[in-house]
Amino acid sequence: MVNLEWYRSFKAIYKTGTLTGAAESLFISQPGVSLHLSSLESYVGYKLFERTGRKMIPTEKGKVLYNFIVEPLSKLEDAEKHFQKSTEKHTPTISVGMCFETFQITLEQYISTLPFNVIIRFGEYPEMLDQLDKGILDLIITPQKGNSPNIEHEAFSSETIVLVGGIETDGQTFDSLAKKNDLSGMEEWLKQQKWYGTAGDMEHLLRFWQLNFGKRADFRPNYIVPNLNSIVRCLSGGKGLAIIPDFLCKKEVDEEKIKIIWEGTAPLKNTLYFGCRKNTQYATEIHVIKNLFKEVMVSI
């Protein structure tokens, strides 16, 4: 089945004469427009445009297709505009991507106060960057920057990856080894403890271990739980170790349910960025969410 967006992109390329012009008129990325065009050409079985320099010249079959779809497509677009005016004039919808733990700690409690509709999506950071570039997402919160010229990144906070333990974890032996900088002894002690981890993300543990011990961690956690917030709840008031971002457990540390065992020989920090497309129709809504995030991160 043909995706209606393929026809929208085809029409925009036909009218503007360039992929860039089409992308700007549709508020999506140029790679997204290219993908729509190649998908439509694959579906119909022939080329719709010839590339001449920087211009996209429609082929004869491309002209026939355009003349065939332009009127019904315009009617559909008019109907869409009319529908939006009657039902969504004051309630635009934006899609925001972030990790599940960040959503729970920051935005979840404020969702009902936002004066617009929000769709929250979770996923891996490379996937979210790709979806942002293609126009599927409007804003992402990420520690990773992409290299698309259509996306702008704004640093707004940072997180430190730390070794934490339940408050009943006896870390005196480790502290003694750390004071002597006995890395071999520290590593051996750590490997003898019970560890918590998540099924989908070993990145924090692997990076922390590589930075501080110069090698890859050669063990797996004893307990695999759904997400990092689950780790915090499991450790609270008990025993065990985990390596997680500090802001996820600050409340529990302050309440003495969890303690920071070690920040490493050199702090492992991640910068957190807002990512959004340079040409977006949701600048006002994105600004609201950005300010909310900044306020929450300062208070954590």
Side-chain angles (χ1 to χ4, degrees):
M1 182 179 294
V2 177
N3 188 323
L4 182 61
E5 297 305 314
W6 298 355
Y7 285 138
R8 285 186 195 269
S9 294
F10 168 69
K11 177 185 173 185
I13 297 169
Y14 195 100
K15 294 182 68 175
T16 64
T18 66
L19 294 173
T20 300
E24 290 176 350
S25 68
L26 295 171
F27 295 100
I28 62 176
S29 69
Q30 184 174 321
V33 171
S34 296
L35 178 61
H36 291 168
L37 176 59
S38 62
S39 298
L40 182 59
E41 288 182 328
S42 177
Y43 180 82
V44 299
Y46 46 78
K47 294 185 67 174
L48 299 171
F49 293 96
E50 296 289 349
R51 288 173 172 78
T52 304
R54 296 183 178 181
K55 295 287 290 183
M56 299 287 286
I57 308 299
T59 62
E60 289 304 315
K61 290 186 176 180
K63 293 177 182 178
V64 171
L65 178 63
Y66 178 81
N67 291 329
F68 194 83
I69 62 101
V70 63
E71 184 176 350
L73 185 59
S74 295
K75 288 182 178 180
L76 282 174
E77 290 174 338
D78 288 342
E80 182 183 45
K81 290 177 182 178
H82 177 75
F83 177 78
Q84 286 180 331
K85 286 180 180 179
S86 62
T87 64
E88 295 191 0
K89 182 176 181 180
H90 301 295
T91 55
T93 299
I94 69 169
S95 297
V96 184
M98 67 189 80
C99 73
F100 177 74
E101 296 86 351
T102 299
F103 171 69
Q104 282 194 315
I105 292 292
T106 57
L107 197 58
E108 185 177 50
Q109 59 187 312
Y110 299 105
I111 280 289
S112 63
T113 69
L114 296 174
F116 46 84
N117 301 325
V118 179
I119 299 172
I120 302 295
R121 296 176 182 266
F122 306 124
E124 300 295 325
Y125 295 121
E127 178 188 12
M128 286 193 287
L129 283 164
D130 181 61
Q131 290 180 343
L132 176 65
D133 195 28
K134 291 179 178 177
I136 299 171
L137 292 173
D138 302 298
L139 172 69
I140 63 173
I141 289 82
T142 172
Q144 300 177 10
K145 294 175 67 175
N147 53 17
S148 170
N150 302 306
I151 297 176
E152 58 184 10
H153 295 86
E154 176 190 346
F156 70 95
S157 186
S158 65
E159 60 184 13
T160 302
I161 311 303
V162 295
L163 170 65
V164 300
I167 203 67
E168 295 184 6
T169 302
D170 185 359
Q172 291 184 351
T173 300
F174 181 83
D175 291 340
S176 176
L177 293 167
K179 288 179 180 178
K180 295 184 290 186
N181 198 32
D182 183 356
L183 292 178
S184 178
M186 293 161 64
E187 182 182 18
E188 187 59 32
W189 183 89
L190 290 171
K191 290 164 66 172
Q192 291 174 4
Q193 309 308 305
K194 297 294 185 180
W195 282 82
Y196 286 87
T198 60
D201 186 9
M202 289 282 288
E203 180 185 359
H204 293 143
L205 173 60
L206 297 177
R207 290 178 61 205
F208 189 90
W209 213 267
Q210 184 67 44
L211 177 64
N212 289 287
F213 298 110
K215 62 178 72 171
R216 183 179 178 87
D218 59 356
F219 69 96
R220 292 189 62 81
N222 305 88
Y223 311 116
I224 302 298
V225 297
N227 55 67
L228 296 177
N229 287 336
S230 297
I231 292 178
V232 173
R233 290 191 291 271
C234 289
L235 286 177
S236 293
K239 295 181 180 179
L241 300 177
I243 292 173
I244 62 176
D246 58 348
F247 81 93
L248 289 180
C249 62
K250 186 179 184 303
K251 176 175 176 289
E252 288 74 14
V253 170
D254 291 342
E255 295 174 351
E256 296 186 347
K257 295 179 180 179
I258 288 177
K259 57 185 175 182
I260 296 178
I261 304 293
W262 190 38
E263 294 188 358
T265 55
L268 175 57
K269 290 183 175 290
N270 286 331
T271 300
L272 299 179
Y273 299 94
F274 296 122
C276 62
R277 291 187 302 282
K278 293 178 180 178
N279 296 317
T280 176
Q281 57 184 316
Y282 301 118
T284 300
E285 292 76 20
I286 289 173
H287 182 70
V288 170
I289 293 183
K290 283 183 177 181
N291 283 342
L292 182 56
F293 256 92
K294 291 174 183 177
E295 292 173 5
V296 172
M297 294 303 290
V298 168
S299 66
I300 292 178

